[in-house]
Amino acid sequence: MTIKANITDPNGIPGDFGTAIATYNDGTIDIISVNLVYNSTSGLYENNTFQIPAQSLLGLWTVTVNGTDTGGLWDTNSTTFTVQDTVSPIVSNLLPANDTNYPLSTNVPLSIVITDNGTIDTAKITIMGPGSGLPTDVILSYNSSSGKYEGTLSSTFTDAAGTYNMTTYVNDTGGNEGNVLKGYFTIGDIINPVINSIDAQPNPVDPGQTLNLTANVTDN
């Protein structure tokens, strides 16, 4: 960040000023100061080397410039600037896990974990599937107890058996979008039974004799 200030003295020249300090105050006890050096070419007091600390609080800051002359007299003025969020949210732990199965017409709990240095603006999961009214967006809200962003897909949208696909969308108030997670779960029984090991005994069988049939049938 470059800081410049025009400091004048009716009774002297700019060189009369002993100090000019810019103070950043983010509302906490951490007050950061830098010295401004007079530039005879621009006629301004300047500092071109100050770097905003990486862990600075986001939002509005105040920079205050104090000018003091050799006579001990002083003046002060201030302006504001904004520390913006340029870090993208990190999205993880999408639930339900793949292959999770629910009964027909049931409410399905959805959740994700979001890590970000700022404030989340939007967190949602888009559901695609065979249920009526789909696709739909489920808006997620932060649960301080679980540390997750949570929501519920209403049973209104789960009235058909099949696969329901999930896609996350997250952004913060700085306009940074989070990584996209995809997953799926199933509603109802959509897996066919499997029949094997069919056997008929006795073999050969005589007319009028009882025939015993067995089969191994598996299903989810």
Side-chain angles (χ1 to χ4, degrees), residues 103-120:
L104 282 171
S105 302
T106 188
N107 291 330
V108 177
L110 310 171
S111 69
I112 55 177
V113 174
I114 304 174
T115 304
D116 192 41
N117 69 324
T119 302
I120 298 302

Side-chain angles (χ1 to χ4, degrees), residues 146-167:
S146 66
K148 300 177 180 180
Y149 284 77
E150 301 174 343
T152 301
L153 177 64
S154 170
S155 60
T156 304
F157 302 102
T158 62
D159 56 358
T163 300
Y164 289 69
N165 295 301
M166 303 177 288
T167 303

Side-chain angles (χ1 to χ4, degrees), residues 193-218:
V194 177
I195 304 173
N196 53 41
S197 302
I198 301 175
D199 187 42
Q201 293 294 333
N203 185 19
V205 62
D206 296 330
Q209 186 178 10
T210 299
L211 182 67
N212 296 313
L213 299 174
T214 60
N216 182 23
V217 183
T218 59

Side-chain angles (χ1 to χ4, degrees), residues 92-95 109-116 118-125 139-144 146-151 170-171:
S92 61
N93 296 74
L94 172 61
L95 293 176
L110 310 171
S111 69
I112 55 177
V113 174
I114 304 174
T115 304
D116 192 41
T119 302
I120 298 302
D121 180 65
T122 302
K124 67 181 181 181
I125 297 177
I139 303 301
L140 309 178
S141 300
Y142 182 66
N143 184 333
S144 58
S146 66
K148 300 177 180 180
Y149 284 77
E150 301 174 343
V170 173
N171 75 340

Side-chain angles (χ1 to χ4, degrees), residues 7 19-23 32-36 63-67 76-77:
I7 305 174
T19 59
I21 298 177
T23 301
I32 307 164
S33 299
V34 295
N35 290 323
L36 302 183
V63 55
T64 302
V65 176
N66 300 304
T76 184
N77 206 339

Side-chain angles (χ1 to χ4, degrees), residues 3-5 7 14 17-21 34-40 42-49:
I3 307 161
K4 297 182 179 181
I7 305 174
F17 290 90
T19 59
I21 298 177
V34 295
N35 290 323
L36 302 183
V37 178
Y38 180 66
N39 184 332
S40 59
S42 66
L44 303 174
Y45 279 77
E46 303 178 358
N47 181 288
N48 299 312
T49 60

